[in-house]
Amino acid sequence: MPVVEQATQVLRANDRGGYTVPTDGLYPFQWNWDSAFAALGFAAFDTNRAWQEVETLLEAQWPNGMVPHIVFHQDDPTYFPGPLVWQANQGPKPSSGITQPPVAATIIRQLASTDARRSDGLLPKLDAWHRWFHSARDPDGLGVMAITHPWESGRDNLPDWDQPTAAVDTSMIGDYTRRDTSLIDPSTRPNKEQYDRYLALVQLGVELEWDPAAIARDSPFFVADVGMTAVLLRAERDLLVMVQESPRATDVDAAVIAQRIANLEHGFERLWNPAVAAYCSLDLRTGRWASTASSGSFLAWYAGVKTHHQELLAELSRYVDAATFAVPSFDPEHPLFNHVLYWRGPVWAVMNWMIAVGLRDADETDWYQRIRSDTMTLIETSGFAEYFSPIDAQPCGGTTFTWTAAIWLAFNADP
């Protein structure tokens, strides 16, 4: 069967009617940025279904503007941690209490040409979500977006979070049974100590009733994430274009969006770590940068930031030269690099798409083609896995993964 048909079949199989699960079994609900990328994939063959995906996601928006990272559309008592653990009952549907990188505006801008009125209807929701980020995750107006949980970054087990989570008290964590390690190789997933810290942060959110101001004030984990900041900056730029091009977007103030963009552009430079010569995440509790770059560092181009263009290209070259396939999620020459361990080295197709798109926008077409080619080769060689070894193309994590299929379709449609 041609790969395009295989990819289409993966999205169809994971479709639950209006929303798509990342993969059957392992992730049985709607995940935020997974869903936006699913829409990107559906756009290659079913634009109406693509619109449904993002509309369903935004229907779960909380009154304060946040769009949660998991929407629990149906009951699955075997999943952990489920809605009874999160106790985040502030939206129209059961959900988690945190968000994920807001790629939705960027995907919706790509869809906008197919149905301008449908796009216009989502602009106030996107604007409310973006405004929430600036108030809830940057209360001091620094122009950088904090995450309050490693899961919020979308890059859950990145070594960047090791030191910041070390301050998290896990003494109240009781017994629990994880779902992920019963379905796939535990050696490729976060260990128990790390997972205890993740659950302790969920407990803290529950205690603080998911109040963003209280979490920003009291949580030991409050880290300015280069990936989150870059994705929001790109999303703000795309939202501004849609608002400016729409005669009906009267409920959204373009000037306010432009001000937010300017603040993010200024703040992004706070994340430049001269010792590493790359943009790095910054622990806002201790003032310490992450010890090295990650694939999130290369989202600077995706965000439209070109201040350190040549230095960042040199770092990207070092990453790629130390591996077989672009782009490892973590520094291949760092002692903590592991080519098959969740976010500690493997290639993720969605990160590759964002990095490649940013490089194309920066007129680095050779780099765009290199990353596009490597991504498609990994998928064609090893299937629609959750992630891949950058060393030997080994498929890891879940199988028949929605966003991996979606990215193959997106790259295939945009050579």
Side-chain angles (χ1 to χ4, degrees):
M1 182 187 299
V3 181
V4 65
E5 293 182 19
Q6 295 176 41
T8 301
Q9 189 176 74
V10 168
L11 266 67
R12 292 295 195 200
N14 290 335
D15 187 352
R16 296 297 180 267
Y19 72 94
T20 311
V21 299
T23 189
D24 188 46
L26 184 60
Y27 302 110
F29 307 110
Q30 184 178 27
W31 262 257
N32 187 318
W33 71 331
D34 295 71
S35 193
F37 286 117
L40 179 68
F42 278 121
F45 61 93
D46 188 341
T47 55
N48 180 60
R49 184 61 189 80
W51 280 112
Q52 289 178 333
E53 190 74 27
V54 290
E55 288 165 348
T56 302
L57 175 64
L58 292 172
E59 285 171 2
Q61 187 168 40
W62 286 18
N64 66 5
M66 189 192 82
V67 181
H69 103 287
I70 307 174
V71 184
F72 300 107
H73 287 285
Q74 77 288 326
D75 184 41
D76 187 340
T78 67
Y79 180 80
F80 183 86
L84 293 179
V85 176
W86 285 96
Q87 298 182 45
N89 302 313
Q90 299 185 31
K93 298 182 179 181
S95 73
S96 63
I98 58 175
T99 192
Q100 273 189 324
V103 295
T106 299
I107 305 305
I108 289 169
R109 184 184 172 192
Q110 294 205 24
L111 291 171
S113 62
T114 69
D115 194 329
R117 289 190 176 275
R118 219 161 173 175
S119 171
D120 290 346
L122 298 178
L123 297 183
K125 290 178 175 288
L126 293 171
D127 184 57
W129 188 15
H130 293 186
R131 282 189 281 109
W132 174 86
F133 268 107
H134 289 269
S135 63
R137 297 300 188 250
D138 184 22
D140 295 324
L142 299 176
V144 292
M145 289 300 118
I147 57 170
T148 61
H149 195 295
W151 293 341
E152 197 161 59
S153 72
R155 291 143 53 236
D156 304 7
N157 197 39
L158 188 70
D160 288 20
W161 322 135
D162 289 355
Q163 285 300 318
T165 56
V168 175
D169 179 10
T170 61
S171 61
M172 299 303 291
I173 296 295
D175 294 332
Y176 60 91
T177 301
R178 292 167 60 177
R179 183 188 184 107
D180 60 333
T181 52
S182 68
L183 295 174
I184 55 179
D185 184 356
S187 69
T188 66
R189 306 296 286 186
N191 63 35
K192 186 180 186 305
E193 180 183 5
Q194 291 159 341
Y195 214 85
D196 283 353
R197 292 171 179 170
Y198 301 160
L199 291 179
L201 288 171
V202 173
Q203 288 182 345
L204 178 62
V206 172
E207 291 170 11
L208 298 176
E209 299 181 332
W210 299 108
D211 177 6
I215 292 171
R217 181 187 66 239
D218 297 337
S219 176
F221 184 89
F222 202 66
V223 181
D225 175 24
V226 62
M228 182 71 85
T229 306
V231 170
L232 179 62
L233 179 49
R234 173 61 180 250
E236 291 279 43
R237 295 190 198 279
D238 289 322
L239 177 61
L240 180 59
V241 170
M242 288 189 286
V243 170
Q244 290 174 331
E245 292 181 347
S246 172
R248 295 173 293 275
T250 56
D251 295 334
V252 182
D253 191 334
V256 173
I257 300 172
Q259 291 172 355
R260 298 197 304 247
I261 291 171
N263 190 44
L264 286 167
E265 289 175 332
H266 178 74
F268 203 82
E269 295 309 312
R270 296 178 184 271
L271 301 178
W272 181 257
N273 183 348
V276 176
Y279 293 101
C280 295
S281 294
L282 178 66
D283 187 343
L284 295 173
R285 297 296 186 232
T286 65
R288 293 175 58 181
W289 273 301
S291 61
T292 188
S294 70
S295 57
S297 305
F298 307 125
L299 294 180
W301 294 296
Y302 180 75
V305 175
K306 303 176 185 178
T307 310
H308 297 281
H309 182 75
Q310 292 302 326
E311 292 154 290
L312 209 55
L313 276 182
E315 184 71 355
L316 177 61
S317 296
R318 183 179 69 81
Y319 260 58
V320 173
D321 288 346
T324 307
F325 299 97
V327 177
S329 52
F330 190 63
D331 185 349
E333 297 180 330
H334 193 279
L336 292 177
F337 172 80
N338 184 319
H339 72 119
V340 296
L341 182 54
Y342 202 61
W343 288 107
R344 295 188 168 235
V347 174
W348 296 74
V350 292
M351 293 297 294
N352 275 13
W353 182 81
M354 290 187 289
I355 294 167
V357 166
L359 286 161
R360 183 191 60 194
D361 292 349
D363 297 322
E364 293 289 346
T365 54
D366 288 346
W367 269 111
Y368 169 79
Q369 291 296 348
R370 166 66 195 274
I371 296 172
R372 173 183 179 271
S373 175
D374 278 13
T375 308
M376 296 182 79
T377 297
L378 282 167
I379 295 169
E380 290 161 12
T381 300
S382 300
F384 300 100
E386 185 175 1
Y387 52 95
F388 306 88
S389 164
I391 305 301
D392 61 11
Q394 179 180 339
C396 302
T399 59
T400 58
F401 220 81
T402 292
W403 71 8
T404 307
I407 294 305
W408 192 94
L409 290 166
F411 273 137
N412 185 61
D414 190 18

